[in-house]
Amino acid sequence: MLSRLGALLQEAMGAREPSIDLLEAFVEHWKGITNYYIESTDENTPAKKTDIPWRLKQMLDILVYEEKQQAAAGEAGPCLEYLLQHKILETLCTLGKAEYPPGMRQQVLQFFSKVLAQVQHPLLHYLSVHRPVQKLLRLGGTVPGSLTEKEEVQFTTVLCSKIQQDPALLTYILEGRKTVGRKEASREATALPREAAGVKNEEQPHSKAPDRGARGARALSTQLPAETEEPDGGTGESTLITSLIGLCKSKRGRVALKAQENLLLLVSVASQAAATYLVQSSPCCAAIVEHLCQLYQSLPSFLDPADIATSEGISWRLPSAPSDEASFPGKETLAAFLGWFDYCDHLITEAHTVVSEALAKSVAEKLFVDILQPQLLHVSEQSILTSTALLTAMLRQLRSPALLREAVAFLLGTDQQPAAPEDSPHTLGGHLVRHCDHLSDEISIATLRLFEELLQKPHEQIIHSLILCHLEGRPYVARGSPEPESYEDTLDLEEDPYFTDGFLDSGFQPSMKPPPAPVTNPDGKTAVTEIVNSFLCLVPEEAKTSAFLEETGYDTYVHDAYGLFQECSSRVAPWGWPPAPPPLDPHEPERPFFEGHFLRMLFDRISRILEQPYSLNLQVTSVLSRLALFPHPLIHEYLLDPYINLAPGCRSLFSVLVRVIGDLMQRIQRVPQFPGKLLLVRRQLMGQVPGEQLDHQTLLQGVVVLEEFCKELAAIAFVKFPPHGPHLRLSEPPEGHV
């Protein structure tokens, strides 16, 4: 098209200079546009049915062709000089605002986009360009569902691309009226020294042609209110940001997605100065987070936590549930919020560090602290349930390190000192631990899910604050005595008050009583096989039912545990955990040991496994299994080693389970036909038989969970230290594990 235009112009020009005829053609097309407003009397004819689109297209083609013919790269030709000097873009912006003829704004947006994209000469530095760009941005993104949304988003795409190529342009596009006024003279003098001087030269051959176009523009001003001055606006007003946020709210999916991509492009500028300007002199962070808070506050209060938990896989690129599951009240609103939260998380990940930190802090302050925290601490159970489920869903989607740091600080605080048993909760996390032992089982389950999600996040402070800070120094191990070599050294069931002589003679014998002395290696370390068997044999044979059913048992747990352990190990590898616990000083006096509020709550919960609802037991054991997977030597020792010599008054996970077994052996004597009922309950839980109500059903379901939990712990110990590898105690993981 351009070559054809050039050939036609060459033929018409004869011996004259090409640049002169190009300018005349350019001015004639501009006069044709301005004359339309002088001569036309039909106010209803759409702009696309006039010759305005064609003339704008010809002006664009001339500008592009002229630039390609320029001998010196980077120099502006006469047509571009005319465009800049006579403020054609300013006039077009006024026409677009007036929307006369109808649809003119669409034509103006298209022309601006194409000129900025196709003309290679830097334009946005000029006041006569970036000022009308600012004005045009103010016209869009304000009314949802605008007919020009497509053109608006294309316009912002060009601007964001230009800013990414040259971050210095950011201040030209985002600055406010007062800043423009201060820099107007200096910019015009420095940005276009040669071109501006050439246009002002009255002796140039083409100096008369611009006068004719100028007269047309003056005539135009008699019909339309010219907007040659910057409209009122506050200093630092960021029209590009507000326009993008408005377009992000569009109901048209493609428009909203493109606007989000443009905003992402904008915040990822590489320049430190531009990023600082975005944070300090624009409403970028505030506008993004304000929309997030508005979406959260629009969520219905009756959202079911179970529905929230099923809303997984929602992405900002596809803000809706990926499956065809049945709809529920508030599903679209929930998807919109989680989609925008995912987008904020992605912005924080991809943005410049300055923008990333500021945006993460803004999310923490405005959403977490100001809105979520009061709901989590509310007396209303429904408020606690809904907010806890929503926070869990947010943690599930959270990926950015900066926002994760803010979330951890919000939940657990910054003080990592171990707590005392009598300490009252001084962080939100302390209150949430109490919620795990709430009178409402629903609140307990929802909060345990929150902690399980938190434990899967790659942040060392989480496991340190909840667990490790209390285990440091190994105060749970008795001082002054050698570590045991056999089971009998640490677990004499006949001395346990639960295991009375009458009980042991009742016909129910725990399968690990009396256990054989564990196999030891030449270095005196207990073989991992014995540790695995300790958990597998913990539940007495009379209380086991999985062997009677054709189902996968321990092997399935090993397969699942292996994948989870590999995932956990890779997540914590950068933290540089020691390969083995520090040696004990036998002369060091024992100090009081407190396992921490979190472990105390879990141990208390697991000790009541025979009297708690089935769903609650599943969640408690799930959290404990997550903890046991961590490849830290102190966690190995405290949670998975049955042979540690506990200090007086201390308890471990294994010792708690032993007490539960003792309680079980007393309870089952009072249940007639216990084995048959237990097998029936297992079949019910597997869906093999109808779920009719039975006596002692809670107890029977608890026994099933207890058996499966012991198999799961055995599998975790096995995958950490397979028997074909070095036979080491859990306190000394083999080389290669983190």
Side-chain angles (χ1 to χ4, degrees):
M1 179 64 168
L2 294 177
S3 60
R4 182 183 176 189
L5 173 65
L8 292 174
L9 290 172
Q10 290 283 359
E11 293 176 6
M13 288 184 296
R16 291 174 294 176
E17 286 294 323
S19 60
I20 297 177
D21 283 331
L22 281 177
L23 180 60
E24 288 183 358
F26 185 83
V27 173
E28 288 302 319
H29 284 300
W30 176 238
K31 287 175 58 180
I33 294 175
T34 57
N35 286 339
Y36 173 85
Y37 290 89
I38 298 173
E39 300 168 359
S40 176
T41 57
D42 186 0
E43 298 183 358
N44 298 320
T45 302
K48 62 182 180 180
K49 292 186 177 181
T50 68
D51 66 347
I52 292 177
W54 176 79
R55 291 191 179 279
L56 289 174
K57 178 68 167 58
Q58 298 305 308
M59 292 171 66
L60 173 66
D61 289 343
I62 291 173
L63 289 172
V64 174
Y65 178 79
E66 176 189 65
E67 185 174 54
K68 289 186 176 182
Q69 301 305 309
Q70 288 296 115
E75 290 187 0
C79 297
L80 182 57
E81 289 179 358
Y82 181 85
L83 177 86
L84 297 171
Q85 183 67 19
H86 291 80
K87 301 181 180 180
I88 289 178
L89 297 181
E90 290 262 12
T91 306
L92 285 174
C93 184
T94 302
L95 302 179
K97 181 177 182 180
E99 265 288 72
Y100 174 71
M104 188 60 187
R105 185 178 303 175
Q106 183 181 39
Q107 301 299 325
V108 172
L109 284 165
Q110 290 177 345
F111 182 73
F112 268 62
S113 300
K114 291 176 181 178
V115 167
L116 293 175
Q118 297 182 31
V119 175
Q120 300 305 309
H121 187 88
L123 295 177
L124 286 167
H125 299 80
Y126 302 125
L127 181 65
S128 58
V129 175
H130 68 249
R131 185 164 61 181
V133 164
Q134 291 171 340
K135 293 178 181 179
L136 195 57
L137 283 169
R138 290 190 182 94
L139 301 182
T142 56
V143 181
S146 169
L147 297 177
T148 59
E149 280 185 340
K150 179 181 176 181
E151 289 72 27
E152 290 170 24
V153 80
Q154 290 173 344
F155 182 46
T156 59
T157 299
V158 174
L159 292 177
C160 292
S161 299
K162 292 292 182 181
I163 290 172
Q164 191 186 47
Q165 295 169 12
D166 183 6
L169 290 173
L170 190 69
T171 54
Y172 290 88
I173 305 303
L174 301 187
E175 63 189 356
R177 182 176 69 87
K178 294 181 182 179
T179 309
V180 172
R182 286 195 304 267
K183 298 181 179 179
E184 178 176 346
S186 62
R187 283 231 183 94
E188 284 297 311
T190 59
L192 192 61
R194 191 199 66 78
E195 293 83 351
V199 172
K200 292 178 181 178
N201 188 351
E202 298 294 335
E203 296 179 1
Q204 284 195 359
H206 56 271
S207 60
K208 294 182 179 180
D211 293 338
R212 293 196 298 269
R215 284 196 298 272
R218 285 194 295 272
L220 172 64
S221 66
T222 62
Q223 292 206 9
L224 292 176
E227 189 182 332
T228 57
E229 296 300 323
E230 188 77 8
D232 291 338
T235 300
E237 182 180 9
S238 176
T239 54
L240 180 57
I241 297 294
T242 52
S243 179
L244 285 172
I245 294 294
L247 290 169
C248 287
K249 302 175 184 179
S250 172
K251 299 299 182 182
R252 300 166 65 182
R254 291 185 178 180
V255 170
L257 178 60
K258 191 61 180 177
Q260 290 171 334
E261 292 174 346
N262 292 340
L263 186 55
L264 179 61
L265 204 63
L266 189 65
V267 300
S268 60
V269 289
S271 164
Q272 175 87 9
T276 303
Y277 188 93
L278 266 179
V279 170
Q280 298 180 355
S281 304
S282 83
C284 177
C285 296
I288 293 170
V289 177
E290 180 184 6
H291 184 46
L292 179 68
C293 294
Q294 288 173 348
L295 289 172
Y296 182 90
Q297 291 173 324
S298 67
L299 293 171
S301 58
F302 52 78
L303 274 176
D304 189 340
D307 291 333
I308 298 174
T310 60
S311 299
E312 298 184 19
I314 294 178
S315 165
W316 66 276
R317 294 187 181 275
L318 186 65
S320 59
S323 61
D324 295 329
E325 298 174 358
S327 181
F328 56 84
K331 181 176 182 179
E332 290 185 2
T333 311
L334 176 62
F337 166 72
L338 292 178
W340 189 256
F341 180 83
D342 182 63
Y343 177 65
C344 291
D345 182 63
H346 192 73
L347 280 179
I348 295 170
T349 302
E350 299 294 333
H352 188 283
T353 305
V354 173
V355 181
S356 174
E357 296 291 341
L359 187 54
K361 289 183 181 297
S362 184
V363 171
E365 292 172 2
K366 302 301 181 182
L367 178 63
F368 292 166
V369 176
D370 293 350
I371 298 178
L372 258 176
Q373 182 166 298
Q375 295 179 356
L376 291 167
L377 300 178
H378 204 273
V379 294
S380 165
E381 290 189 2
Q382 184 60 45
S383 175
I384 297 174
L385 269 175
T386 304
S387 57
T388 302
L390 286 168
L391 180 55
T392 305
M394 284 185 270
L395 283 176
R396 189 183 303 120
Q397 298 204 185
L398 199 154
R399 297 290 182 273
S400 62
L403 188 54
L404 178 58
R405 285 195 301 271
E406 295 294 334
V408 172
F410 165 67
L411 288 169
L412 304 178
T414 55
D415 183 14
Q416 300 188 41
Q417 296 301 315
E422 65 278 2
D423 287 351
S424 57
H426 60 279
T427 64
L428 177 61
H431 290 281
L432 293 176
V433 169
R434 287 189 172 184
H435 287 179
C436 293
D437 207 0
H438 201 274
L439 291 175
S440 166
D441 292 335
E442 284 185 302
I443 290 179
S444 297
I445 293 171
T447 314
L448 284 165
R449 283 177 182 157
L450 172 64
F451 278 106
E452 183 177 11
E453 197 64 50
L454 189 63
L455 288 169
Q456 298 175 60
K457 292 299 168 184
H459 197 293
E460 189 175 8
Q461 185 190 338
I462 298 170
I463 190 67
H464 187 273
S465 297
L466 293 176
I467 307 294
L468 288 176
C469 68
H470 302 282
L471 303 184
E472 290 176 344
R474 305 171 71 191
Y476 49 85
V477 178
R479 263 56 172 179
S481 60
E483 297 195 16
E485 298 297 343
S486 68
Y487 210 145
E488 288 86 348
D489 291 340
T490 58
L491 186 62
D492 190 351
L493 297 184
E494 294 186 8
E495 296 179 2
D496 194 294
Y498 283 106
F499 291 87
T500 61
D501 292 338
F503 164 67
L504 293 173
D505 294 336
S506 64
F508 292 95
Q509 299 294 327
S511 58
M512 77 295 186
K513 175 50 175 91
V519 178
T520 57
N521 293 303
D523 60 357
K525 301 300 184 181
T526 307
V528 69
T529 305
E530 296 304 319
I531 298 174
V532 171
N533 287 336
S534 298
F535 284 104
L536 289 178
C537 299
L538 191 56
V539 177
E541 293 297 330
E542 294 83 353
K544 293 181 177 179
T545 52
S546 59
F548 296 98
L549 301 175
E550 294 181 359
E551 65 171 31
T552 53
Y554 170 69
D555 292 342
T556 301
Y557 283 108
V558 170
H559 180 272
D560 294 342
Y562 179 78
L564 292 172
F565 176 64
Q566 293 299 317
E567 177 187 335
C568 183
S569 296
S570 63
R571 186 168 63 245
V572 307
W575 302 346
W577 280 347
L584 288 174
D585 182 359
H587 304 292
E588 181 184 353
E590 294 182 353
R591 56 185 174 89
F593 170 65
F594 174 53
E595 63 265 35
H597 293 287
F598 187 62
L599 271 181
R600 181 174 67 175
M601 173 273 299
L602 291 173
F603 286 176
D604 289 346
R605 277 296 190 187
I606 205 68
S607 68
R608 302 197 296 268
I609 193 172
L610 302 178
E611 54 200 51
Q612 292 175 155
Y614 175 71
S615 56
L616 178 56
N617 284 335
L618 288 180
Q619 194 57 55
V620 173
T621 55
S622 181
V623 173
L624 279 167
S625 298
R626 287 283 178 188
L627 287 175
L629 284 165
F630 280 92
H632 192 287
L634 298 183
I635 295 178
H636 299 331
E637 183 176 56
Y638 189 60
L639 293 184
L640 290 177
D641 192 346
Y643 301 106
I644 55 174
N645 190 16
L646 291 172
C650 296
R651 59 179 181 172
S652 66
L653 177 57
F654 192 82
S655 71
V656 172
L657 291 174
V658 167
R659 296 247 170 208
V660 172
I661 296 299
D663 187 19
L664 169 64
M665 301 310 287
Q666 290 188 348
R667 287 172 181 253
I668 60 180
Q669 295 181 80
R670 300 190 291 269
V671 180
Q673 301 175 336
F674 175 79
K677 290 182 177 179
L678 183 62
L679 184 58
L680 177 60
V681 166
R682 178 178 277 274
R683 291 182 183 277
Q684 289 178 348
L685 294 175
M686 295 176 62
Q688 296 181 353
V689 296
E692 58 182 276
Q693 188 67 32
L694 298 174
D695 293 336
H696 309 287
Q697 189 154 10
T698 300
L699 169 65
L700 297 170
Q701 290 176 342
V703 174
V704 173
V705 175
L706 180 62
E707 179 187 354
E708 298 304 307
F709 182 50
C710 290
K711 290 194 295 185
E712 188 172 13
L713 292 176
I716 292 172
F718 180 84
V719 299
K720 285 185 170 183
F721 310 101
H724 54 74
H727 294 294
L728 300 178
R729 296 178 60 88
L730 291 179
S731 58
E732 297 184 16
E735 186 177 356
H737 285 273
V738 180

